[in-house]
Amino acid sequence: GAVVSQHPSWVICKSGTSVKIECRSLDFQATTMFWYRQFPKQSLMLMATSNEGSKATYEQGVEKDKFLINHASLTLSTLTVTSAHPEDSSFYICSAYGAGGGGASYGYTFGSGTRLTVV
Amino acid sequence: QKEVEQNSGPLSVPEGAIASLNCTYSDRGSQSFFWYRQYSGKSPELIMSIYSNGDKEDGRFTAQLNKASQYVSLLIRDSQPSDSATYLCAVKRNQGGKLIFGQGTELSVKP
């Protein structure tokens, strides 16, 4: 089945630094990547949607200059949290939507998530 | 009004009982609906998808969809302690294909 590899699984960084999270689709082409954030005891909140080769579309209230998304290829999308602060500490999850060989369609495949702690 | 609403719970059922999870959505034009299970600290995993009115069964799980009432439910028969998790209802937006999640219902199955 479709697999999305997300790295790192957890990261601790100092306030003011930047952190990059990668999501790779291993056996299919992710034409669209969705990025979610989840705070403890809360649901997944959609942050942004990116299509390969295009600028990301951000949900209302999400700072696009703080959360930089790059989707330069059909198998790789990255989220960079710039100038991270403790309030950015959260669980970040990517979800890829795309197609594979033979015209197979893959639904929403989630990465394993990244636990970000900003100290 | 939230796009997707669920009772946050927690819902507690004894082992072997039927657990019933409910979800309502606001966009009458929505066509695709999903139930995910999420264990603490883990990513969501897909249980079932449903697109047509009526029931869809897969093993111990049955999803029910009523588009007129804008209502989706998930029944878990013969509940097991391993079913204890948070269950997330998700609805696909027609525009952009975005998947929007409800706040989740925490289920606890007591041995």
Side-chain angles (χ1 to χ4, degrees):
Chain A
V3 175
V4 172
S5 175
Q6 184 171 348
H7 292 282
S9 56
W10 61 270
V11 57
I12 301 173
C13 71
K14 290 185 177 180
S15 187
T17 61
S18 296
V19 173
K20 180 183 283 188
I21 300 170
E22 287 190 354
C23 278
R24 293 181 182 273
S25 55
L26 298 186
D27 48 7
F28 69 104
Q29 295 180 329
T31 51
T32 304
M33 190 71 78
F34 302 95
W35 287 93
Y36 292 87
R37 178 169 54 180
Q38 186 177 36
F39 292 107
K41 299 291 186 182
Q42 295 187 26
S43 189
L44 279 73
M45 296 301 297
L46 182 64
M47 299 175 65
T49 303
S50 70
N51 294 302
E52 184 265 337
S54 303
K55 286 187 177 179
T57 303
Y58 292 80
E59 294 296 303
Q60 192 172 7
V62 178
E63 300 173 61
K64 62 181 180 181
D65 294 330
K66 181 171 185 61
F67 299 100
L68 302 179
I69 292 172
N70 185 289
H71 194 168
S73 78
L74 286 171
T75 58
L76 174 64
S77 179
T78 61
L79 167 67
T80 301
V81 183
T82 63
S83 187
H85 289 95
E87 57 265 30
D88 298 323
S89 298
S90 188
F91 191 50
Y92 292 86
I93 309 172
C94 62
S95 175
Y97 190 94
S105 175
Y106 296 95
Y108 301 90
T109 303
F110 283 83
S112 54
T114 298
R115 174 78 56 194
L116 170 63
T117 302
V118 185
V119 297
Chain B
Q1 183 185 9
K2 292 183 180 178
E3 272 190 82
V4 183
E5 291 204 67
Q6 297 178 250
N7 292 328
S8 58
L11 173 65
S12 183
V13 300
E15 184 175 355
I18 296 175
S20 177
L21 305 160
N22 304 315
C23 172
T24 58
Y25 59 96
S26 61
D27 184 357
R28 184 170 289 278
S30 298
Q31 299 293 324
S32 304
F33 309 87
F34 306 83
W35 281 100
Y36 286 84
R37 176 172 62 194
Q38 186 179 29
Y39 293 108
S40 182
K42 302 294 184 182
S43 190
E45 52 180 330
L46 181 66
I47 299 174
M48 291 185 71
S49 58
I50 186 167
Y51 309 102
S52 304
N53 278 329
D55 295 359
K56 179 181 178 182
E57 188 175 316
D58 184 359
R60 296 187 295 113
F61 299 94
T62 299
Q64 300 173 317
L65 174 61
N66 184 325
K67 291 184 181 179
S69 300
Q70 295 173 241
Y71 177 88
V72 192
S73 67
L74 180 71
L75 299 178
I76 306 174
R77 290 182 299 281
D78 188 24
S79 295
Q80 301 297 309
S82 58
D83 294 326
S84 298
T86 296
Y87 288 80
L88 299 165
C89 171
V91 177
K92 180 181 175 181
R93 276 186 192 165
N94 283 334
Q95 191 171 14
K98 302 173 185 179
L99 206 55
I100 305 302
F101 286 83
Q103 65 267 43
T105 298
E106 185 180 348
L107 172 67
S108 177
V109 181
K110 303 294 186 184

